[in-house]
């Protein structure tokens, strides 16, 4: 199996961001609720129930973080990626429009851009223009996945074997 590149590791770390943000937001909200309960009931922060609630909140957020990021961090730690060879069934390029690029003025047009896709096993994958132009329908491509999280890292055109 090939090993992860620095770009792959950076992408996997980028995927971990929600595993940090969501538990932090839940922690802030739960602690605000605990603060409101303490403030409205004139409780002391040394009260065992308050300490238990804060502790349970922190433990839950740590568990949530671990649960959300475990597969990505395992992939980074293992340092390998799996590859699958698939065949391009269809290519498509079409004009799409940027969401929210027009204002409330009726005469302004939305900003167009060209979107390039390849279809493999009845699944549409967005690709860059260079990759789109370098491949043809029926060509074989190599999909690189992180084995634990099954996150698609890259798609490359399969190089022909020279004899």
């Amino acid at each position: 199996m090939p090993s992860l590149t620095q770009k792959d590791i950076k992408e996997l770390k980028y995927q971990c961001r929600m595993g940090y943000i969501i538990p932090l937001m839940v922690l802030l909200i739960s602690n605000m609720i605990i603060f409101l309960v303490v403030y409205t009931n004139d409780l002391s922060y040394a009260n065992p129930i308050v300490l238990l609630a804060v502790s349970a909140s922190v433990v839950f957020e740590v568990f949530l973080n671990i649960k959300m990021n475990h597969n990505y961090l395992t992939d980074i730690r293992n340092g390998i990626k799996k590859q699958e060879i698939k065949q391009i069934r269809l290519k498509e390029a079409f004009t799409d429009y940027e969401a929210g690029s027009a204002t409330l003025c009726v005469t302004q047009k939305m900003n167009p851009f060209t979107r390039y896709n390849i279809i493999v096993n009845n699944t549409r994958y967005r690709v860059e223009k260079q990759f789109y132009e370098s491949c043809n329908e029926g060509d074989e491509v190599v999909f690189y996945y992180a084995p634990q999280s099954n996150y698609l890292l890259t798609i490359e055109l399969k190089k022909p074997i020279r004899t």
Side-chain angles (χ1 to χ4, degrees):
M1 281 198 209
S3 56
L4 293 174
T5 63
Q6 288 300 318
K7 182 181 175 187
D8 297 335
I9 292 171
K10 183 177 180 180
E11 181 66 27
L12 288 171
K13 285 181 179 178
Y14 186 69
Q15 292 303 312
C16 290
R17 71 191 182 283
M18 281 299 126
Y20 298 122
I21 293 172
I22 291 174
L24 181 63
M25 297 305 291
V26 171
L27 180 68
L28 291 174
I29 291 169
S30 64
N31 282 338
M32 284 175 35
I33 291 170
I34 292 168
F35 173 75
L36 288 174
V37 168
V38 167
Y39 183 74
T40 56
N41 294 327
D42 291 328
L43 296 174
S44 167
Y45 281 107
N47 188 327
I49 295 174
V50 174
L51 292 175
L52 181 65
V54 171
S55 300
S57 172
V58 170
V59 168
F60 176 72
E61 274 69 34
V62 168
F63 173 75
L64 188 60
N65 174 281
I66 291 170
K67 186 71 174 158
M68 291 179 75
N69 288 337
H70 174 71
N71 290 337
Y72 297 119
L73 295 175
T74 301
D75 286 331
I76 292 169
R77 194 175 317 116
N78 291 340
I80 58 174
K81 56 186 172 183
K82 66 180 180 179
Q83 63 185 20
E84 292 181 15
I85 299 173
K86 301 179 182 183
Q87 190 173 22
I88 298 174
R89 188 175 65 83
L90 190 64
K91 289 173 44 173
E92 62 182 13
F94 60 92
T95 302
D96 205 353
Y97 297 92
E98 291 180 14
S101 61
T103 60
L104 295 176
C105 178
V106 177
T107 59
Q108 185 176 0
K109 302 286 185 203
M110 293 180 69
N111 298 335
F113 67 93
T114 305
R115 185 172 166 173
Y116 301 97
N117 295 324
I118 60 170
I119 298 175
V120 177
N121 295 340
N122 293 328
T123 304
R124 182 175 282 123
Y125 296 95
R126 185 185 293 189
V127 294
E128 298 293 324
K129 181 180 180 181
Q130 298 161 327
F131 182 81
Y132 178 83
E133 292 173 347
S134 68
C135 63
N136 298 311
E137 292 177 9
D139 285 351
E140 289 186 329
V141 288
V142 181
F143 283 71
Y144 291 101
Y145 294 96
Q148 188 73 25
S149 62
N150 212 30
Y151 180 76
L152 177 62
L153 297 167
T154 55
I155 304 172
E156 292 179 357
L157 192 59
K158 183 179 178 192
K159 296 177 179 87
I161 300 173
R162 295 184 183 168
T163 57

